[in-house]
């Protein structure tokens, strides 16, 4: 509850992307305690609240209302209220108006706490089986063909897995554009993640384009495209040695660290071993 002289907080709360059990205990506790919860679609959030017996007042805060409501939200936080923010699915601030509210709070020097949890981006990336050493999240895939071609051309040499949100209606044409611009790449379509009809289809981008060309698709979709073949070989020996060292600092044994870096980077284990060995010898030499 608001208390005089006390500054409130914005609580950015990650909520499930499908399965209502995917929510943290901390998020549930904080949602219960908040003075108000801003929600992209109050009907969606009501289902979560009903499941966990939360009766915090809900207010709509979506693309159409965010700008007009932001000044009042800032006033409420400054007056001491705890304002929770949730989106329809996953982590608020990723492809929704949440990021602007966070920025406005930071500008106004009001506290922002982010409570981590589900995200369609990370869930799809890991489920795809594509390399995760680096990824580029492109938000919603462009609708216009010219914008698609320009974007894909600018990303062609990037040594990273590309992750895009896409509507089921445009999936076939998005995949056709990707197959044309990035032939031969591996890719994945992750659909309805964590839900009853969850599905991850993996293959070359041509195979995916063919598989979805005439298929009626429903639900929520993430499209992923792997890095260019051979790009992961471009990683330098210094980077490989550094990554081994970081993993060892994190508690991994030397042989585990070498094995994992080789897997993540898609390079032979012997190369990672040699790079780590040379770096170790060079350090010893420098210390003499
Ligand atoms: N803020 C969310 C997050 O952290 O994941 C993303 C919200 S964004 C407005 C909505 C898009 O996320 C959908 O169009 C879809 O591309 C993706 N998405 C959300 N839930 C999903 C699910 N269960 N399976 C696959 N994609 C999902």
């Amino acid at each position: 509850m608001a208390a005089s002289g006390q500054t409130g907080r914005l609580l950015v709360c990650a909520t499930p992307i499908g399965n209502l059990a995917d929510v943290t205990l901390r998020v549930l506790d904080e949602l219960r305690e908040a003075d108000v919860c801003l929600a992209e679609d109050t009907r969606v959030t009501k289902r979560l609240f009903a499941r966990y017996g939360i009766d915090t007042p809900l207010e709509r805060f979506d693309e159409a209302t965010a700008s007009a409501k932001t000044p009042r939200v800032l006033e409420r936080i400054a007056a001491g209220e705890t304002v929770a923010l949730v989106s329809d699915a996953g982590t608020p601030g990723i492809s929704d108006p949440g990021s602007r509210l966070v920025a406005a709070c930071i500008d106004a020097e009001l506290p922002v706490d982010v409570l981590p949890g589900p995200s369609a981006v990370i869930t799809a990336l890991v489920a795809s089986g594509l390399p995760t050493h680096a990824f580029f999240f492109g938000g919603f895939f462009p609708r216009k063909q010219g914008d698609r071609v320009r974007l894909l051309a600018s990303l062609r040499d990037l040594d990273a897995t590309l992750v895009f949100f896409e509507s089921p209606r445009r999936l076939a044409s998005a995949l056709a554009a990707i197959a044309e611009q990035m032939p031969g790449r591996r890719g994945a379509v992750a659909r309805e993640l964590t839900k009853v009809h969850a599905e991850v289809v993996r293959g070359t981008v041509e195979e995916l384009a063919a598989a979805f060309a005439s298929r009626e698709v429903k639900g929520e979709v993430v499209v992923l495209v792997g890095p260019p073949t051979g790009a992961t070989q471009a990683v330098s020996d210094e980077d490989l040695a550094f990554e081994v060292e970081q993993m060892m600092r994190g508690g991994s044994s030397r042989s585990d660290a070498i094995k994992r870096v080789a897997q993540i980077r898609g390079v032979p284990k012997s190369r990672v071993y040699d790079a780590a060995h040379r770096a170790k010898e060079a350090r010893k030499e420098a210390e003499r």
Side-chain angles (χ1 to χ4, degrees), residues 121-140:
V121 181
I122 300 297
T123 311
L125 176 66
V126 175
S128 73
L130 293 167
T132 56
H133 65 279
F135 69 92
F136 171 90
F137 170 59
F140 282 96

Side-chain angles (χ1 to χ4, degrees), residues 16 18 20-21 28 39 41-54 58 88 195 220:
L20 285 185
L28 294 177
D41 184 335
T42 53
R43 289 164 305 179
V44 171
T45 307
K46 264 183 195 154
R47 288 202 282 275
L48 180 75
F49 278 23
R51 163 84 174 252
Y52 292 102
I54 298 171
L58 278 167
D88 279 0
K195 303 184 193 177
E220 313 260 28

Side-chain angles (χ1 to χ4, degrees), residues 131-134 232 243 247 259-267:
T132 56
H133 65 279
T232 47
E243 286 168 18
M247 280 193 191
K259 200 160 101 190
R260 281 182 54 206
V261 170
Q263 266 170 358
I264 292 168
R265 287 295 191 171
V267 298

